Amino acid sequence: MTLAMRNWRSFHGDHRVEFSIDPRKPVTLILGPNGAGKTALLNAFTWALYGEFTDGFARPGQLVNVDAVEMDPSAETWVELTLAHEEDEFRIRRVTDARRQAAGEYDLKVTKNGERAVEDDIYRILPKALKDLFFFPAETFSTASVLEGNRPGEGSSLNIGQAIRSLLAGDIYDRAVEDLRKAIESEALKPPKNYSDNTVEEARRRYEQAQEELNSAETRRDDLPGLLADARDKASKAKKDAERYNPEEIKKWEREYEKRTGCVRQAEDATQRSHELYVSLARKAHLHFAQSAVYSAISQLDLAEKAGLMPPRIHESVLDKTLKDCRCTLCGEPLSKAANNRIKTLREHVGDARVAVRGMETRSLLMRHATQQDTEVASLRKEVASLATDLGVAGPQQDADMRMLQAVLRTCVDVADRLLANAARELKDFTDAHDVERPPVGQSPVEIAMVRQKSVDVLIAESKGIEVKIEELSAKTRESLADYTRKSSKSEGHKRKTAAIEILREVKEFFDTARKGLNRFGREDFEKAINATYLDLIAKPYQIHVGEDFGITVRFPGKDEEIPLSQSEKVLVLIAFLGAIARLAPLYEEIARNQQQLKRTGSVATSRSQGFPVVLDSPTSPLDDEYEAEVVNALPKLLPQVVVVVSAKSVTVWEGIAGSVGSANIMELTSRSSSNRTVRWNGKDHTYSTQDDGVAHARTRMTSIS
């Protein structure tokens, strides 16, 4: 892969960078001083590919080098990328000039193996939705906010669910759902209004109103991820502003906010535990009734054994012979009349020996069953006692039966529900107390941060409940459509239209389900990929969990609580986050090409030997020196191609992975304010920056030092 450019920002004249394609040396290193144009270089990639820029890129309407414009007002700039994908070579060149740049106008030429191609050929390989992942501006893309928590992507405008669907060509499902929605609402399927039968007309209005409410809710659901990402981005930036303004006040507010949200989470956990235990108790209620019957049966069999009936003390065959011979079988003496009567009575009470054996076997089975039931009840009793202790409720007695456990659990459910309601109310009261309108002058950045965070909380709460709302509205729509169909069945025109609507609704639900499936299975693949990538980068027993909203938490295996990460660990999680998507990209491209989206997703395995390249702008800039080496040493294990743009302040750290660097380059800066500096790489000194009073504008030259 190569990048060539002319008169791009601070790069006056022609420049070219060759990127390493050796998987044994996957790193392309570009060293550049502050102000040389590291972020401009990153945006050379995004502009050439997408005609777009990374978040925070300054002056996007001034792309042509200033010196070039002063020499020639019609000077142009172009960036050309050459990249190989499988057996094909693509070349993308985007051109603009000094007159057209402010309006965002440009010319684009794409070739595939020397023949003309189109942008979509590139977007199928590198979807636009992944621009901010494959070309990651660590200094400008909310990195600080990402690293303040354990959730890479939070505080940024990344929509990972959309990125996953883009890789899988899942936008066809999005378009299908939208097209079917429009078809259902089309004029062709609308019945004539003011139908003579008022009953039919009223049914039609109810159906159309229900459908409109459902459409609105579905549109809102589709918009929520983007709105939430945007709200998090604004909250993150507001938080940084507030910290600069009054760090102590925002930290105090944060501590109180975290304390209250922690109480809500604890109350939610307790509520879930109590409700789950109550359901479990209800499912095992039969134990209460079965246990008394089992013990009663065991007692009866015990009495039979004590009475000598089980097993019989004298075998029935002995008694029968005695009665037949009228003599005692043991001593041979004749039986008296009284003795004969006693033996007859005994014979009547002695059952069949085989029946007696079955009775003993039955008692053994009943006793085992009773023991098993006692164990289940004891386990339930222990869980209820633990929950009661946690909630401060009087626990059950040691021998509490199911009814007593039910009474204790009912109290636990009530207490947990009250705790959750109180915690949620206190959190709402706390955030509401700071929900102030921004005055036009003199507004506190702390108040802005509080309001922004509340917006995030509101959207999160809405996201949690939107699917339930859609299910309710969908059921309402189906019911109103069925009612409308029944009432309008006398009209053939109505019947045909309602039948068509029902078919279209079923097809739309299928595509909607497919879209949800892609999100779910893609999330599972992403979770496996980010864990595998993180394990490649750093050997620590951590488990990264990806939530339904693609938010990330780091935990110990089998534990629910989050792990507080060190600064370097947070950066490594962020890099693993990017690497996971880059590793999935080629595999998902193959799945989409073979139309196996719903067959193979969810079970995709990634490896470090396969993946799309990523370009990282200053990935270690937020780190202290002691953590930088750990992150640098991990980068060669990330992907087959990694392009890193950094300053030379820690060049000795980067020299530690020189054996993994296949291409090393310097962005030489010349300006009036620069100092004369050199950089030593592989035993040689190279010009890094030069001071020159004769230069009107700062200039940068790209030099290979490999």
Side-chain angles (χ1 to χ4, degrees):
M1 183 172 73
T2 62
L3 171 71
M5 53 191 174
R6 172 179 292 172
N7 294 334
W8 174 258
R9 297 286 283 218
S10 60
F11 296 90
H12 186 211
D14 292 340
H15 303 266
R16 183 181 180 87
V17 185
E18 295 280 351
F19 301 98
S20 175
I21 57 173
D22 184 351
R24 295 169 301 176
K25 296 182 176 183
V27 177
T28 295
L29 182 64
I30 301 174
L31 303 171
N34 292 335
K38 293 190 291 293
T39 302
L41 180 65
L42 180 74
N43 280 273
F45 286 94
T46 62
W47 186 70
L49 287 169
Y50 309 110
E52 296 180 359
F53 307 100
T54 59
D55 187 49
F57 179 63
R59 305 187 310 279
Q62 298 178 19
L63 304 179
V64 185
N65 179 266
V66 177
D67 285 336
V69 174
E70 289 182 353
M71 295 171 61
D72 179 3
S74 63
E76 64 178 24
T77 183
W78 52 259
V79 178
E80 182 177 274
L81 266 174
T82 303
L83 54 93
H85 178 64
E86 296 179 344
E87 302 299 322
D88 300 317
E89 181 182 89
F90 293 90
R91 183 164 295 180
I92 308 100
R93 175 187 282 235
R94 201 175 297 263
V95 184
T96 190
D97 56 41
R99 294 188 179 92
R100 296 189 295 164
Q101 61 181 355
E105 298 175 355
Y106 52 78
D107 297 322
L108 174 66
K109 182 179 180 181
V110 180
T111 63
K112 177 180 178 182
N113 300 324
E115 298 181 357
R116 290 301 295 263
V118 294
E119 282 181 286
D120 285 346
D121 292 326
I122 300 299
Y123 297 158
R124 277 192 285 271
I125 304 170
L126 298 170
K128 266 193 176 184
L130 301 177
K131 170 177 70 71
D132 293 316
L133 285 167
F134 292 148
F135 307 97
F136 195 83
E139 288 186 329
T140 59
F141 198 73
S142 308
T143 306
S145 65
V146 169
L147 300 179
E148 284 162 6
N150 294 339
R151 299 170 182 263
E154 185 175 279
S156 74
S157 57
L158 292 175
N159 185 339
I160 300 303
Q162 181 182 341
I164 291 284
R165 291 201 304 275
S166 294
L167 284 171
L168 289 167
D171 50 352
I172 61 173
Y173 298 104
D174 296 336
R175 290 196 299 269
V177 169
E178 186 59 31
D179 290 344
L180 288 163
R181 185 183 295 160
K182 291 178 180 177
I184 292 170
E185 299 172 356
S186 66
E187 291 295 328
L189 292 182
K190 287 186 177 180
K193 295 184 179 181
N194 301 320
Y195 188 66
S196 58
D197 189 337
N198 290 333
T199 304
V200 176
E201 181 67 12
E202 182 61 30
R204 179 190 64 79
R205 282 197 296 267
R206 282 197 301 270
Y207 159 68
E208 289 186 347
Q209 182 179 356
Q211 184 64 55
E212 185 177 346
E213 292 174 356
L214 176 61
N215 290 343
S216 177
E218 289 177 337
T219 300
R220 181 65 176 176
R221 175 197 60 193
D222 296 341
D223 292 342
L224 274 173
L227 293 172
L228 183 56
D230 183 58
R232 281 173 168 161
D233 189 30
K234 291 177 180 176
S236 172
K237 291 174 181 176
K239 179 182 173 184
K240 286 193 293 182
D241 290 340
E243 285 178 334
R244 287 194 295 269
Y245 173 77
N246 191 336
E248 289 305 317
E249 187 172 349
I250 189 65
K251 286 179 181 177
K252 178 181 176 182
W253 180 85
E254 271 193 334
R255 284 194 294 270
E256 187 64 24
Y257 177 79
E258 286 299 322
K259 176 183 174 183
R260 293 178 186 275
T261 53
C263 289
V264 171
R265 287 195 295 269
Q266 290 177 0
E268 287 176 340
D269 291 342
T271 302
Q272 184 177 357
R273 281 177 62 196
S274 58
H275 283 276
E276 287 177 351
L277 264 179
Y278 200 85
V279 171
S280 179
L281 192 71
R283 289 174 176 170
K284 296 179 180 179
H286 65 279
L287 297 178
H288 173 72
F289 303 102
Q291 201 77 329
S292 58
V294 168
Y295 278 115
S296 175
I298 292 173
S299 176
Q300 293 297 320
L301 292 170
D302 286 344
L303 289 175
E305 183 181 26
K306 289 179 180 179
L309 303 178
M310 190 186 77
R313 293 173 183 171
I314 302 176
H315 198 274
E316 59 190 57
S317 61
V318 175
L319 297 177
D320 289 339
K321 183 171 177 52
T322 300
L323 291 173
K324 179 180 179 182
D325 298 340
C326 290
R327 289 178 178 276
C328 177
T329 305
L330 300 177
C331 63
E333 290 294 323
L335 297 178
S336 65
K337 185 176 180 180
N340 191 63
N341 288 336
R342 283 200 301 276
I343 290 175
K344 284 182 178 180
T345 302
L346 182 60
R347 178 67 183 83
E348 290 174 358
H349 287 84
V350 174
D352 189 299
R354 288 172 296 180
V355 174
V357 170
R358 291 193 188 98
M360 295 182 70
E361 291 174 348
T362 300
R363 184 179 63 176
S364 296
L365 289 173
L366 289 173
M367 290 178 69
R368 283 200 299 271
H369 182 71
T371 301
Q372 182 180 352
Q373 289 183 332
D374 285 342
T375 301
E376 291 188 43
V377 174
S379 177
L380 271 176
R381 196 181 293 126
K382 183 178 179 181
E383 291 185 58
V384 173
S386 174
L387 177 63
T389 300
D390 292 344
L391 292 174
V393 175
Q397 299 177 359
Q398 289 187 350
D399 59 346
D401 60 13
M402 301 293 282
R403 287 183 177 176
M404 296 176 65
L405 292 179
Q406 185 183 41
V408 174
L409 258 184
R410 192 179 295 113
T411 303
C412 288
V413 169
D414 292 341
V415 170
D417 287 344
R418 284 200 302 273
L419 284 174
L420 179 57
N422 291 337
R425 187 187 65 253
E426 289 176 2
L427 176 61
K428 184 178 184 301
D429 291 344
F430 174 73
T431 54
D432 284 348
H434 300 89
D435 189 9
V436 294
E437 290 295 327
R438 291 186 59 164
V441 180
Q443 181 180 14
S444 165
V446 176
E447 292 176 351
I448 300 174
M450 295 171 183
V451 173
R452 296 296 192 204
Q453 183 58 51
K454 183 179 178 182
S455 299
V456 172
D457 295 340
V458 169
L459 289 170
I460 289 174
E462 186 180 0
S463 299
K464 288 181 178 179
I466 192 69
E467 287 296 345
V468 174
K469 180 179 179 180
I470 287 174
E471 287 178 8
E472 293 172 352
L473 290 174
S474 184
K476 178 182 176 182
T477 304
R478 282 195 299 271
E479 182 180 341
S480 60
L481 177 59
D483 180 58
Y484 172 46
T485 300
R486 285 193 302 270
K487 291 177 178 177
S488 64
S489 59
K490 294 180 181 179
S491 167
E492 285 299 321
H494 278 72
K495 283 174 65 176
R496 285 194 297 272
K497 290 180 178 181
T498 54
I501 290 172
E502 288 177 347
I503 293 171
L504 290 173
R505 278 181 51 82
E506 288 180 7
V507 177
K508 174 180 165 293
E509 288 179 3
F510 167 79
F511 280 105
D512 213 9
T513 303
R515 181 169 59 172
K516 293 177 186 176
L518 281 186
N519 259 13
R520 174 191 165 191
F521 297 135
R523 180 176 62 82
E524 293 173 2
D525 283 340
F526 179 54
E527 183 173 89
K528 285 186 292 185
I530 193 173
N531 276 287
T533 309
Y534 191 70
L535 189 61
D536 285 341
L537 296 177
I538 182 169
K540 289 196 176 181
Y542 293 163
Q543 186 75 29
I544 301 176
H545 174 71
V546 179
E548 292 186 5
D549 63 347
F550 288 87
I552 291 174
T553 54
V554 182
R555 310 169 181 175
F556 283 114
K559 303 291 185 180
D560 290 334
E561 61 271 17
E562 296 182 27
I563 299 172
L565 300 178
S566 69
Q567 192 78 334
S568 62
E569 287 173 332
K570 291 173 183 176
V571 177
L572 285 168
V573 170
L574 174 59
I575 292 173
F577 172 85
L578 304 175
I581 291 291
R583 289 183 180 187
L584 277 174
L587 301 173
Y588 272 9
E589 182 195 13
E590 179 199 357
I591 288 173
R593 187 168 59 243
N594 296 326
Q595 298 181 354
Q596 296 178 316
Q597 290 94 327
L598 299 178
K599 183 178 181 181
R600 290 176 56 190
T601 49
S603 59
V604 173
T606 60
S607 71
R608 70 173 72 173
S609 63
Q610 190 172 17
F612 283 178
V614 294
V615 182
L616 304 176
D617 176 11
S618 305
T620 59
S621 61
L623 297 178
D624 295 334
D625 293 342
E626 60 181 302
Y627 296 125
E628 189 169 17
E630 187 175 14
V631 175
V632 170
N633 289 331
L635 284 175
K637 297 180 280 187
L638 182 65
L639 291 163
Q641 277 186 283
V642 182
V643 180
V644 187
V645 187
V646 293
S647 70
K649 70 178 181 68
S650 303
V651 67
T652 54
V653 177
W654 290 94
E655 274 199 302
I657 63 164
S660 299
V661 176
S663 172
N665 307 266
I666 288 182
M667 297 164 58
E668 298 178 15
L669 175 64
T670 302
S671 71
R672 293 178 178 179
S673 59
S674 295
S675 57
N676 294 314
R677 295 176 58 194
T678 60
V679 170
R680 193 165 185 81
W681 180 261
N682 277 345
K684 294 182 180 180
D685 290 330
H686 304 275
T687 302
Y688 187 61
S689 62
T690 303
Q691 194 276 332
D692 187 346
D693 291 332
V695 175
H697 308 285
R699 293 183 180 183
T700 303
R701 184 178 67 174
M702 187 68 67
T703 304
S704 172
I705 59 172
S706 297

